[in-house]
Every structure is written in C-alpha cells, then in structure tokens.
Coordinates of all heavy atoms in Angstrom, one line a residue:
M1 N 20.1 -24.0 24.5 CA 18.8 -23.4 24.6 C 18.6 -22.3 23.6 O 19.5 -21.4 23.5 CB 18.5 -22.9 26.0 CG 17.2 -22.2 26.2 SD 16.9 -22.0 28.0 CE 16.4 -20.3 28.0
N2 N 17.6 -22.3 22.8 CA 17.3 -21.2 21.9 C 16.8 -20.0 22.6 O 16.2 -20.0 23.6 CB 16.2 -21.7 20.9 CG 16.7 -22.8 19.9 OD1 17.9 -22.9 19.7 ND2 15.8 -23.5 19.4
K3 N 17.2 -18.9 22.0 CA 16.8 -17.5 22.6 C 15.5 -17.2 22.0 O 15.1 -17.3 20.9 CB 17.9 -16.5 22.1 CG 17.6 -15.1 22.7 CD 18.8 -14.2 22.4 CE 19.0 -14.0 21.0 NZ 20.0 -12.9 20.7
L4 N 14.6 -16.8 23.0 CA 13.2 -16.3 22.6 C 13.1 -14.9 23.0 O 13.3 -14.5 24.2 CB 12.2 -17.1 23.5 CG 10.8 -16.7 23.3 CD1 10.3 -16.9 21.8 CD2 9.8 -17.4 24.2
T5 N 12.9 -14.0 22.0 CA 12.8 -12.6 22.2 C 11.5 -12.0 21.9 O 10.9 -12.3 20.8 CB 13.9 -11.9 21.3 OG1 15.2 -12.5 21.5 CG2 14.0 -10.4 21.6
I6 N 10.9 -11.2 22.9 CA 9.6 -10.6 22.7 C 9.7 -9.1 22.8 O 10.4 -8.6 23.7 CB 8.7 -11.2 23.8 CG1 8.5 -12.7 23.7 CG2 7.3 -10.5 23.7 CD1 7.8 -13.3 24.9
L7 N 9.1 -8.4 21.9 CA 8.9 -7.0 22.0 C 7.5 -6.8 22.5 O 6.5 -7.2 21.9 CB 9.1 -6.4 20.6 CG 8.7 -4.9 20.5 CD1 9.6 -4.0 21.3 CD2 8.7 -4.4 19.0
A8 N 7.4 -6.0 23.6 CA 6.2 -5.8 24.2 C 5.9 -4.3 24.1 O 6.7 -3.4 24.4 CB 6.2 -6.2 25.7
V9 N 4.6 -3.9 23.7 CA 4.2 -2.6 23.5 C 3.0 -2.3 24.4 O 2.1 -3.1 24.5 CB 3.8 -2.4 22.0 CG1 3.3 -0.9 21.8 CG2 5.0 -2.7 21.1
E10 N 3.0 -1.1 25.0 CA 1.9 -0.7 26.0 C 1.5 0.7 25.7 O 2.4 1.6 25.8 CB 2.4 -0.8 27.4 CG 1.4 -1.1 28.5 CD 0.5 0.1 28.8 OE1 1.0 1.2 28.9 OE2 -0.8 -0.1 28.8
T11 N 0.2 1.0 25.5 CA -0.3 2.3 25.3 C -1.7 2.4 25.8 O -2.6 3.0 25.2 CB -0.4 2.6 23.8 OG1 -1.2 1.7 23.1 CG2 1.0 2.7 23.1
S12 N -2.0 1.8 27.0 CA -3.4 1.7 27.5 C -3.9 3.0 28.0 O -5.1 3.1 28.1 CB -3.5 0.6 28.5 OG -2.7 0.9 29.7
C13 N -3.1 3.9 28.4 CA -3.6 5.2 28.9 C -2.7 6.4 28.5 O -2.8 6.8 27.3 CB -3.7 5.1 30.4 SG -4.6 6.6 31.1
D14 N -1.9 6.9 29.4 CA -1.1 8.1 29.0 C 0.4 7.9 29.0 O 1.1 8.8 29.0 CB -1.5 9.2 30.0 CG -1.1 8.9 31.5 OD1 -1.1 7.7 31.8 OD2 -0.8 9.8 32.2
E15 N 0.9 6.7 29.0 CA 2.3 6.4 28.9 C 2.5 5.5 27.7 O 1.8 4.5 27.5 CB 2.9 5.8 30.1 CG 2.8 6.8 31.3 CD 3.5 6.3 32.5 OE1 3.5 5.0 32.8 OE2 4.0 7.1 33.3
T16 N 3.5 5.8 26.9 CA 3.9 5.0 25.8 C 5.1 4.1 26.2 O 6.1 4.7 26.7 CB 4.3 5.8 24.6 OG1 3.3 6.8 24.3 CG2 4.5 4.9 23.3
A17 N 5.0 2.8 26.2 CA 6.1 2.0 26.7 C 6.4 0.8 25.7 O 5.5 0.3 25.0 CB 5.7 1.5 28.1
A18 N 7.6 0.4 25.8 CA 8.0 -0.8 25.0 C 9.1 -1.5 25.9 O 9.9 -0.8 26.5 CB 8.6 -0.4 23.7
A19 N 9.1 -2.8 25.8 CA 10.1 -3.6 26.5 C 10.6 -4.7 25.6 O 9.8 -5.2 24.7 CB 9.5 -4.1 27.8
V20 N 11.8 -5.1 25.8 CA 12.3 -6.3 25.1 C 12.6 -7.3 26.2 O 13.4 -7.0 27.2 CB 13.6 -5.9 24.3 CG1 14.2 -7.2 23.7 CG2 13.3 -4.9 23.3
V21 N 12.1 -8.5 26.0 CA 12.2 -9.6 27.0 C 12.9 -10.7 26.3 O 12.4 -11.1 25.2 CB 10.9 -10.0 27.6 CG1 11.0 -11.1 28.6 CG2 10.2 -8.8 28.2
E22 N 14.0 -11.2 26.8 CA 14.7 -12.3 26.2 C 14.8 -13.5 27.2 O 15.3 -13.3 28.3 CB 16.1 -11.9 25.9 CG 16.9 -12.9 25.1 CD 18.3 -12.3 24.8 OE1 18.3 -11.4 23.9 OE2 19.3 -12.7 25.3
N23 N 14.2 -14.6 26.9 CA 14.1 -15.8 27.7 C 13.6 -15.5 29.1 O 14.2 -15.9 30.1 CB 15.5 -16.5 27.8 CG 15.9 -17.1 26.5 OD1 15.0 -17.4 25.7 ND2 17.2 -17.3 26.3
G24 N 12.6 -14.6 29.2 CA 12.0 -14.3 30.4 C 12.7 -13.2 31.2 O 12.2 -12.8 32.3
K25 N 13.8 -12.6 30.7 CA 14.5 -11.6 31.4 C 14.3 -10.3 30.7 O 14.5 -10.2 29.4 CB 16.0 -11.9 31.5 CG 16.8 -10.9 32.2 CD 18.3 -11.2 32.2 CE 19.0 -10.1 32.8 NZ 20.5 -10.2 32.7
I26 N 14.0 -9.2 31.4 CA 13.8 -7.9 30.8 C 15.1 -7.3 30.4 O 16.0 -7.1 31.3 CB 13.0 -6.9 31.8 CG1 11.6 -7.5 32.1 CG2 12.9 -5.5 31.1 CD1 10.9 -6.8 33.2
K27 N 15.3 -7.1 29.1 CA 16.6 -6.6 28.6 C 16.5 -5.0 28.5 O 17.5 -4.4 28.6 CB 16.9 -7.2 27.3 CG 17.1 -8.7 27.2 CD 18.3 -9.1 28.0 CE 19.5 -9.0 27.2 NZ 20.7 -9.5 27.8
A28 N 15.3 -4.5 28.3 CA 15.1 -3.1 28.2 C 13.6 -2.7 28.5 O 12.8 -3.5 28.1 CB 15.5 -2.6 26.8
S29 N 13.4 -1.6 29.1 CA 12.1 -1.1 29.4 C 12.1 0.4 29.3 O 12.7 1.0 30.1 CB 11.6 -1.6 30.8 OG 10.3 -1.1 31.0
I30 N 11.4 0.9 28.3 CA 11.4 2.3 28.0 C 10.0 2.9 28.2 O 9.0 2.3 27.6 CB 11.9 2.6 26.6 CG1 13.3 2.0 26.4 CG2 12.0 4.1 26.3 CD1 14.4 2.5 27.3
I31 N 9.9 4.0 28.9 CA 8.6 4.6 29.1 C 8.7 6.2 28.7 O 9.6 6.9 29.2 CB 8.1 4.5 30.5 CG1 8.0 3.1 30.9 CG2 6.8 5.3 30.7 CD1 7.8 2.8 32.4
A32 N 7.7 6.6 27.9 CA 7.6 8.0 27.6 C 6.3 8.4 28.3 O 5.2 8.1 28.0 CB 7.4 8.2 26.1
S33 N 6.5 9.2 29.3 CA 5.4 9.7 30.2 C 4.7 10.9 29.6 O 5.4 11.8 29.1 CB 5.9 9.9 31.6 OG 4.8 10.4 32.4
Q34 N 3.4 11.0 29.9 CA 2.7 12.2 29.5 C 2.2 13.0 30.7 O 1.4 13.9 30.7 CB 1.5 11.9 28.7 CG 1.7 11.1 27.3 CD 0.4 10.8 26.6 OE1 -0.6 11.3 26.9 NE2 0.5 9.9 25.7
A35 N 2.8 12.7 31.9 CA 2.3 13.2 33.2 C 2.3 14.8 33.2 O 1.3 15.4 33.6 CB 3.2 12.7 34.3
K36 N 3.3 15.4 32.6 CA 3.4 16.8 32.6 C 2.3 17.5 31.8 O 1.8 18.5 32.2 CB 4.8 17.3 32.1 CG 5.9 17.1 33.1 CD 7.2 17.6 32.6 CE 8.4 17.3 33.5 NZ 9.7 17.8 33.0
I37 N 2.0 16.8 30.7 CA 0.9 17.3 29.9 C -0.4 17.3 30.6 O -1.2 18.3 30.6 CB 0.9 16.5 28.5 CG1 2.2 16.7 27.7 CG2 -0.4 16.9 27.7 CD1 2.3 15.7 26.6
H38 N -0.7 16.1 31.2 CA -2.0 16.0 31.8 C -2.2 16.6 33.2 O -3.3 16.9 33.6 CB -2.3 14.5 31.9 CG -2.5 13.8 30.6 ND1 -3.5 14.0 29.7 CD2 -1.6 13.0 29.9 CE1 -3.4 13.3 28.6 NE2 -2.2 12.7 28.7
N39 N -1.1 16.9 33.8 CA -1.1 17.6 35.1 C -1.8 19.0 35.0 O -2.6 19.4 35.8 CB 0.3 17.8 35.7 CG 0.8 16.6 36.4 OD1 0.0 15.7 36.6 ND2 2.1 16.5 36.6
Q40 N -1.6 19.7 33.9 CA -2.2 21.0 33.7 C -3.8 20.9 33.6 O -4.5 21.9 33.8 CB -1.7 21.7 32.5 CG -1.9 21.0 31.1 CD -1.2 21.6 30.0 OE1 -1.1 22.8 29.9 NE2 -0.7 20.8 29.1
F41 N -4.3 19.7 33.3 CA -5.8 19.5 33.2 C -6.3 18.8 34.4 O -7.5 18.7 34.5 CB -6.1 18.6 32.0 CG -5.6 19.2 30.7 CD1 -4.6 18.5 30.0 CD2 -6.1 20.4 30.1 CE1 -4.1 19.0 28.8 CE2 -5.7 20.9 28.9 CZ -4.6 20.2 28.2
G42 N -5.5 18.4 35.4 CA -6.0 17.8 36.6 C -6.3 16.4 36.4 O -6.9 15.7 37.3
G43 N -5.9 15.8 35.3 CA -6.2 14.3 35.0 C -5.9 14.0 33.6 O -5.7 14.9 32.8
V44 N -6.1 12.8 33.2 CA -5.8 12.3 31.8 C -7.0 12.8 30.9 O -8.1 12.5 31.2 CB -5.6 10.8 31.8 CG1 -5.5 10.3 30.3 CG2 -4.4 10.4 32.6
V45 N -6.6 13.4 29.8 CA -7.6 13.8 28.8 C -7.4 12.7 27.7 O -6.4 12.7 27.0 CB -7.4 15.2 28.3 CG1 -8.3 15.5 27.2 CG2 -7.4 16.2 29.4
P46 N -8.4 11.9 27.5 CA -8.3 10.8 26.5 C -7.8 11.2 25.2 O -6.9 10.5 24.6 CB -9.7 10.1 26.5 CG -10.2 10.4 27.9 CD -9.7 11.8 28.2
E47 N -8.4 12.2 24.6 CA -8.0 12.6 23.2 C -6.5 13.1 23.2 O -5.8 12.8 22.2 CB -8.9 13.7 22.7 CG -8.6 14.1 21.2 CD -8.7 12.9 20.3 OE1 -9.5 12.0 20.4 OE2 -7.9 13.0 19.3
V48 N -6.1 13.8 24.2 CA -4.7 14.3 24.3 C -3.8 13.1 24.4 O -2.7 13.0 23.7 CB -4.5 15.3 25.4 CG1 -3.1 15.6 25.6 CG2 -5.4 16.6 25.2
A49 N -4.2 12.1 25.3 CA -3.4 10.9 25.5 C -3.2 10.2 24.2 O -2.1 9.8 23.8 CB -4.0 10.0 26.5
A50 N -4.3 10.0 23.4 CA -4.2 9.3 22.1 C -3.3 9.9 21.2 O -2.5 9.3 20.5 CB -5.6 9.1 21.6
R51 N -3.4 11.2 21.0 CA -2.5 12.0 20.1 C -1.1 11.9 20.5 O -0.2 11.9 19.6 CB -3.0 13.4 20.0 CG -4.2 13.6 19.1 CD -4.6 15.0 18.9 NE -5.4 15.4 20.1 CZ -5.6 16.6 20.5 NH1 -5.2 17.6 19.8 NH2 -6.4 16.8 21.5
E52 N -0.8 11.9 21.8 CA 0.6 11.9 22.2 C 1.3 10.6 22.0 O 2.6 10.6 21.9 CB 0.7 12.3 23.7 CG 0.4 13.8 24.0 CD 1.4 14.7 23.3 OE1 2.6 14.5 23.3 OE2 1.0 15.7 22.7
H53 N 0.6 9.5 21.9 CA 1.2 8.2 21.6 C 1.8 8.2 20.2 O 2.8 7.5 20.0 CB 0.2 7.1 21.7 CG -0.2 6.8 23.1 ND1 0.7 6.3 24.0 CD2 -1.4 6.8 23.7 CE1 0.1 6.1 25.2 NE2 -1.2 6.4 25.0
I54 N 1.2 8.9 19.3 CA 1.6 8.8 17.9 C 3.1 9.2 17.6 O 3.8 8.4 17.0 CB 0.6 9.6 16.9 CG1 -0.8 8.8 17.0 CG2 1.1 9.6 15.5 CD1 -1.9 9.6 16.4
P55 N 3.5 10.3 18.1 CA 4.9 10.7 17.9 C 5.9 9.9 18.8 O 7.1 9.9 18.5 CB 5.0 12.2 18.1 CG 3.8 12.4 19.1 CD 2.8 11.5 18.7
S56 N 5.4 9.3 19.8 CA 6.3 8.6 20.8 C 6.5 7.1 20.5 O 7.6 6.6 20.8 CB 5.6 8.7 22.2 OG 5.5 10.1 22.5
I57 N 5.5 6.5 19.9 CA 5.6 5.0 19.8 C 6.8 4.5 19.1 O 7.5 3.6 19.6 CB 4.3 4.4 19.3 CG1 4.4 2.9 19.5 CG2 4.1 4.7 17.9 CD1 3.2 2.3 20.2
I58 N 7.1 4.9 17.9 CA 8.3 4.4 17.2 C 9.6 4.8 17.9 O 10.5 3.9 18.1 CB 8.3 4.9 15.7 CG1 7.0 4.3 15.0 CG2 9.6 4.5 15.0 CD1 6.9 2.8 14.9
P59 N 9.8 6.0 18.3 CA 11.1 6.3 19.1 C 11.2 5.4 20.4 O 12.3 5.0 20.7 CB 11.0 7.8 19.4 CG 10.1 8.3 18.4 CD 9.1 7.2 18.1
V60 N 10.1 5.1 21.0 CA 10.2 4.3 22.2 C 10.6 2.9 21.9 O 11.4 2.3 22.5 CB 8.9 4.4 23.0 CG1 8.7 3.3 24.0 CG2 8.7 5.7 23.7
I61 N 10.0 2.3 20.8 CA 10.3 1.0 20.4 C 11.8 0.9 19.9 O 12.5 0.0 20.3 CB 9.4 0.5 19.2 CG1 8.0 0.3 19.8 CG2 9.9 -0.7 18.6 CD1 6.9 0.0 18.8
E62 N 12.2 1.9 19.1 CA 13.6 1.9 18.7 C 14.6 2.0 19.8 O 15.6 1.3 19.8 CB 13.8 3.1 17.7 CG 13.2 2.9 16.4 CD 13.3 4.1 15.5 OE1 13.5 5.3 16.0 OE2 13.1 4.0 14.3
L63 N 14.2 2.8 20.9 CA 15.1 2.9 22.0 C 15.2 1.6 22.8 O 16.3 1.2 23.3 CB 14.7 4.1 22.9 CG 15.7 4.4 24.1 CD1 17.1 4.6 23.6 CD2 15.2 5.7 24.8
A64 N 14.0 1.0 22.9 CA 14.0 -0.3 23.7 C 14.9 -1.3 22.9 O 15.6 -2.1 23.6 CB 12.6 -0.8 23.8
L65 N 14.7 -1.4 21.6 CA 15.6 -2.3 20.9 C 17.1 -1.9 20.9 O 17.9 -2.8 21.2 CB 15.1 -2.3 19.4 CG 13.8 -2.9 19.1 CD1 13.3 -2.6 17.7 CD2 13.8 -4.4 19.3
K66 N 17.4 -0.7 20.8 CA 18.8 -0.3 20.9 C 19.4 -0.6 22.3 O 20.5 -1.1 22.4 CB 18.9 1.2 20.6 CG 20.3 1.8 20.6 CD 20.4 3.2 20.3 CE 21.8 3.8 20.4 NZ 21.9 5.2 20.0
T67 N 18.6 -0.2 23.3 CA 19.1 -0.5 24.7 C 19.3 -1.9 25.0 O 20.3 -2.3 25.7 CB 18.0 0.1 25.7 OG1 17.9 1.5 25.5 CG2 18.5 -0.1 27.2
S68 N 18.5 -2.8 24.4 CA 18.6 -4.2 24.6 C 19.7 -4.9 23.7 O 20.0 -6.0 23.9 CB 17.3 -4.9 24.4 OG 16.9 -4.9 23.0
G69 N 20.1 -4.1 22.7 CA 21.0 -4.7 21.7 C 20.4 -5.7 20.8 O 21.0 -6.6 20.3
T70 N 19.1 -5.5 20.6 CA 18.3 -6.4 19.8 C 17.9 -5.7 18.5 O 17.5 -4.5 18.5 CB 17.0 -6.8 20.5 OG1 17.4 -7.4 21.7 CG2 16.2 -7.8 19.7
R71 N 18.0 -6.4 17.4 CA 17.5 -5.9 16.1 C 16.0 -6.3 15.9 O 15.7 -7.4 16.3 CB 18.3 -6.4 15.0 CG 19.8 -5.9 15.0 CD 20.6 -6.4 13.9 NE 20.1 -5.9 12.6 CZ 20.0 -6.7 11.5 NH1 20.5 -7.9 11.6 NH2 19.6 -6.2 10.4
L72 N 15.2 -5.5 15.3 CA 13.8 -5.8 15.1 C 13.6 -7.1 14.4 O 12.7 -7.9 14.8 CB 13.1 -4.7 14.4 CG 11.6 -4.7 14.2 CD1 10.9 -4.8 15.6 CD2 11.1 -3.5 13.5
V73 N 14.5 -7.4 13.4 CA 14.3 -8.7 12.7 C 14.6 -9.9 13.6 O 14.2 -11.0 13.2 CB 15.2 -8.8 11.4 CG1 14.8 -7.7 10.4 CG2 16.7 -8.6 11.8
N74 N 15.2 -9.7 14.7 CA 15.5 -10.9 15.6 C 14.4 -11.1 16.7 O 14.5 -12.0 17.5 CB 16.9 -10.7 16.3 CG 18.0 -10.7 15.3 OD1 17.9 -11.4 14.3 ND2 19.0 -10.0 15.6
V75 N 13.4 -10.3 16.7 CA 12.3 -10.4 17.6 C 11.4 -11.6 17.1 O 11.1 -11.8 16.0 CB 11.4 -9.1 17.6 CG1 10.1 -9.4 18.3 CG2 12.2 -8.0 18.3
D76 N 11.1 -12.5 18.1 CA 10.3 -13.7 17.7 C 8.8 -13.4 17.8 O 8.0 -13.9 17.0 CB 10.7 -14.8 18.7 CG 12.1 -15.3 18.5 OD1 12.5 -15.6 17.5 OD2 12.9 -15.2 19.6
Y77 N 8.4 -12.6 18.8 CA 7.0 -12.3 19.0 C 6.8 -10.9 19.4 O 7.7 -10.3 19.9 CB 6.4 -13.2 20.2 CG 6.4 -14.6 19.9 CD1 7.4 -15.5 20.3 CD2 5.3 -15.2 19.2 CE1 7.3 -16.8 20.1 CE2 5.3 -16.5 18.9 CZ 6.3 -17.4 19.3 OH 6.3 -18.7 19.1
I78 N 5.7 -10.3 19.0 CA 5.3 -9.0 19.5 C 4.1 -9.1 20.3 O 3.0 -9.7 19.9 CB 5.1 -8.1 18.2 CG1 6.3 -8.0 17.4 CG2 4.6 -6.7 18.7 CD1 6.1 -7.4 16.0
A79 N 4.2 -8.6 21.5 CA 3.0 -8.6 22.5 C 2.5 -7.1 22.6 O 3.3 -6.2 22.5 CB 3.5 -9.1 23.8
V80 N 1.3 -7.0 22.8 CA 0.7 -5.6 22.9 C -0.5 -5.6 23.9 O -1.3 -6.6 23.9 CB 0.2 -5.1 21.5 CG1 -0.9 -5.9 20.9 CG2 -0.1 -3.6 21.6
T81 N -0.6 -4.6 24.6 CA -1.8 -4.4 25.5 C -3.0 -4.2 24.7 O -3.1 -3.2 23.8 CB -1.6 -3.2 26.5 OG1 -0.4 -3.4 27.2 CG2 -2.8 -3.1 27.4
Q82 N -4.0 -5.0 24.8 CA -5.3 -4.9 24.1 C -6.4 -4.3 25.0 O -7.4 -3.9 24.5 CB -5.7 -6.2 23.5 CG -4.8 -6.8 22.5 CD -5.3 -8.1 22.0 OE1 -6.4 -8.3 21.9 NE2 -4.3 -9.0 21.7
G83 N -6.2 -4.2 26.3 CA -7.2 -3.7 27.2 C -6.9 -4.2 28.6 O -6.1 -5.1 28.7
P84 N -7.5 -3.7 29.6 CA -8.4 -2.5 29.5 C -7.6 -1.2 29.3 O -6.4 -1.2 29.4 CB -9.1 -2.5 30.9 CG -8.0 -3.1 31.8 CD -7.3 -4.2 30.9
G85 N -8.3 -0.2 29.0 CA -7.7 1.1 28.8 C -8.5 2.0 27.9 O -9.7 1.7 27.6
L86 N -7.9 3.1 27.6 CA -8.6 4.1 26.7 C -8.5 3.6 25.3 O -7.4 3.4 24.7 CB -7.9 5.5 26.8 CG -7.9 6.1 28.2 CD1 -7.0 7.4 28.2 CD2 -9.3 6.4 28.7
I87 N -9.7 3.4 24.6 CA -9.7 2.8 23.3 C -8.8 3.5 22.3 O -8.1 2.9 21.5 CB -11.1 2.5 22.8 CG1 -11.1 1.7 21.5 CG2 -11.8 3.8 22.6 CD1 -10.7 0.3 21.7
T88 N -8.9 4.8 22.3 CA -8.1 5.6 21.4 C -6.6 5.5 21.6 O -5.8 5.5 20.7 CB -8.5 7.1 21.4 OG1 -8.5 7.6 22.7 CG2 -9.9 7.2 20.8
S89 N -6.2 5.3 22.9 CA -4.8 5.1 23.1 C -4.4 3.6 22.8 O -3.3 3.4 22.2 CB -4.5 5.3 24.7 OG -4.6 6.7 25.0
L90 N -5.2 2.7 23.1 CA -5.0 1.3 22.8 C -4.8 1.1 21.3 O -4.0 0.3 20.8 CB -6.1 0.4 23.3 CG -6.1 0.2 24.8 CD1 -7.5 -0.4 25.2 CD2 -5.0 -0.7 25.3
M91 N -5.6 1.8 20.5 CA -5.5 1.7 19.0 C -4.1 2.0 18.5 O -3.6 1.2 17.6 CB -6.5 2.6 18.4 CG -8.0 2.1 18.5 SD -9.2 3.4 18.0 CE -8.7 3.7 16.3
T92 N -3.4 3.0 19.0 CA -2.0 3.2 18.5 C -1.1 2.1 18.8 O -0.4 1.7 17.9 CB -1.5 4.5 19.3 OG1 -2.4 5.6 19.0 CG2 -0.1 4.8 18.7
G93 N -1.2 1.5 19.9 CA -0.3 0.3 20.2 C -0.7 -0.9 19.4 O 0.2 -1.6 18.9
T94 N -2.0 -1.2 19.4 CA -2.3 -2.4 18.6 C -2.1 -2.3 17.1 O -1.6 -3.2 16.5 CB -3.8 -2.8 18.9 OG1 -4.7 -1.7 18.6 CG2 -4.1 -3.2 20.3
E95 N -2.3 -1.1 16.6 CA -2.1 -0.9 15.1 C -0.6 -1.0 14.8 O -0.2 -1.6 13.8 CB -2.7 0.4 14.6 CG -4.2 0.5 14.6 CD -4.8 -0.5 13.6 OE1 -4.2 -0.7 12.5 OE2 -5.8 -1.1 13.9
T96 N 0.2 -0.4 15.7 CA 1.7 -0.4 15.5 C 2.2 -1.9 15.6 O 3.0 -2.3 14.7 CB 2.4 0.5 16.5 OG1 1.9 1.8 16.4 CG2 3.9 0.4 16.4
A97 N 1.7 -2.6 16.6 CA 2.2 -4.0 16.8 C 1.7 -4.9 15.6 O 2.4 -5.7 15.1 CB 1.6 -4.6 18.1
Q98 N 0.5 -4.6 15.1 CA 0.0 -5.4 14.0 C 0.8 -5.1 12.7 O 1.2 -6.1 12.0 CB -1.5 -5.1 13.7 CG -2.4 -5.7 14.7 CD -3.9 -5.3 14.5 OE1 -4.2 -4.3 13.9 NE2 -4.8 -6.1 15.1
V99 N 1.1 -3.9 12.5 CA 1.9 -3.5 11.3 C 3.3 -4.1 11.4 O 3.8 -4.7 10.4 CB 1.9 -2.0 11.1 CG1 3.0 -1.6 10.0 CG2 0.6 -1.4 10.7
L100 N 3.9 -4.0 12.5 CA 5.2 -4.6 12.7 C 5.2 -6.1 12.5 O 6.0 -6.7 11.9 CB 5.8 -4.3 14.1 CG 6.3 -2.9 14.3 CD1 6.7 -2.7 15.7 CD2 7.4 -2.5 13.4
G101 N 4.1 -6.7 13.0 CA 3.9 -8.2 12.9 C 3.8 -8.6 11.5 O 4.4 -9.6 11.0
L102 N 3.0 -7.8 10.7 CA 2.8 -8.1 9.3 C 4.1 -7.9 8.5 O 4.5 -8.8 7.7 CB 1.7 -7.2 8.7 CG 0.3 -7.6 9.1 CD1 -0.7 -6.5 8.6 CD2 -0.1 -8.9 8.5
A103 N 4.8 -6.8 8.8 CA 6.0 -6.5 8.1 C 7.1 -7.6 8.3 O 7.9 -7.9 7.5 CB 6.5 -5.2 8.5
L104 N 7.1 -8.2 9.6 CA 8.1 -9.1 9.9 C 7.6 -10.6 9.8 O 8.4 -11.5 10.2 CB 8.5 -8.8 11.4 CG 9.2 -7.5 11.6 CD1 9.4 -7.2 13.1 CD2 10.6 -7.4 10.9
S105 N 6.4 -10.8 9.4 CA 5.8 -12.1 9.4 C 5.8 -12.8 10.8 O 6.1 -14.0 10.9 CB 6.4 -13.0 8.4 OG 6.3 -12.4 7.1
K106 N 5.4 -12.0 11.8 CA 5.4 -12.5 13.2 C 4.0 -12.7 13.7 O 3.1 -11.9 13.3 CB 6.2 -11.5 14.1 CG 7.6 -11.2 13.7 CD 8.5 -12.4 13.9 CE 9.9 -12.0 13.5 NZ 10.8 -13.1 13.6

C-alpha cells in the first residue's frame, strides 16, 4: 500500500494549527493558542487574531512536520480551512497553503 501524507492547516479564528495525517492516522497535531492574548479583551479581537497567525504559522507547520518525522517534500496534499471563520485569520492559512502548494507543485 502506498503512503498518503496530508499536511492540514487551520487558522479560522484564534488558534494556529497544523497536522500531519498519514494513511488516515494523525501523526502530529500542533496548536498555537492565542487564548491568553484574547482573555484580556474578554473575547477574540479579529484584527489581533489575524496578526498573531503570521509569526506562528511557519513554526507550527515545521513542528508538525518534525514531530511526525515527515519532510515537506514528502507531503502529497495540503489541506486548509477555507471557512467558516474570521476572514482575516483564514487568509493567513489559505495563503500559506497556496504558496506551499505552488512551491511543491501540490
């Protein structure tokens, strides 16, 4: 059986997450939470959430790949949350996934 590896990216609200799934089994799931930041405001502030995804997304993806023992070039597909969610947060995830997909011809 051939191995099928998916990198999944999630940025729909205030958590930046990435997972590596191999043949339907979760090999790694990494989440960078913004809860402490938003607690001081009493809820999620969309602009703050969007800005916080930017410095988190690449390190989260790298850690998911490292934890799973997978190299980016060995990923077969890249999945990303497109909605529902905060549009400014979703943009970080979708743009990152698109750029990775283009760079890897995925």
Side-chain angles (χ1 to χ4, degrees):
M1 178 166 132
N2 291 336
K3 183 169 62 169
L4 176 65
T5 305
I6 299 169
L7 170 64
V9 178
E10 204 290 315
T11 60
S12 63
C13 190
D14 64 330
E15 293 184 331
T16 308
V20 176
V21 179
E22 186 178 291
N23 291 337
K25 181 180 177 191
I26 299 170
K27 302 291 279 186
S29 178
I30 305 298
I31 301 170
S33 178
Q34 299 178 18
K36 287 182 182 178
I37 296 166
H38 295 287
N39 281 344
Q40 63 186 323
F41 303 111
V44 175
V45 178
E47 184 57 32
V48 172
R51 280 184 278 163
E52 289 297 317
H53 287 298
I54 295 167
S56 300
I57 189 127
I58 296 302
V60 166
I61 289 171
E62 288 175 339
L63 186 55
L65 290 166
K66 182 179 179 180
T67 301
S68 71
T70 303
R71 294 180 62 223
L72 187 56
V73 296
N74 294 331
V75 168
D76 297 301
Y77 295 96
I78 300 170
V80 63
T81 303
Q82 295 181 32
L86 302 173
I87 189 65
T88 52
S89 291
L90 289 164
M91 287 170 58
T92 301
T94 56
E95 291 295 321
T96 301
Q98 287 175 341
V99 168
L100 289 173
L102 286 170
L104 299 168
S105 298
K106 305 289 178 182

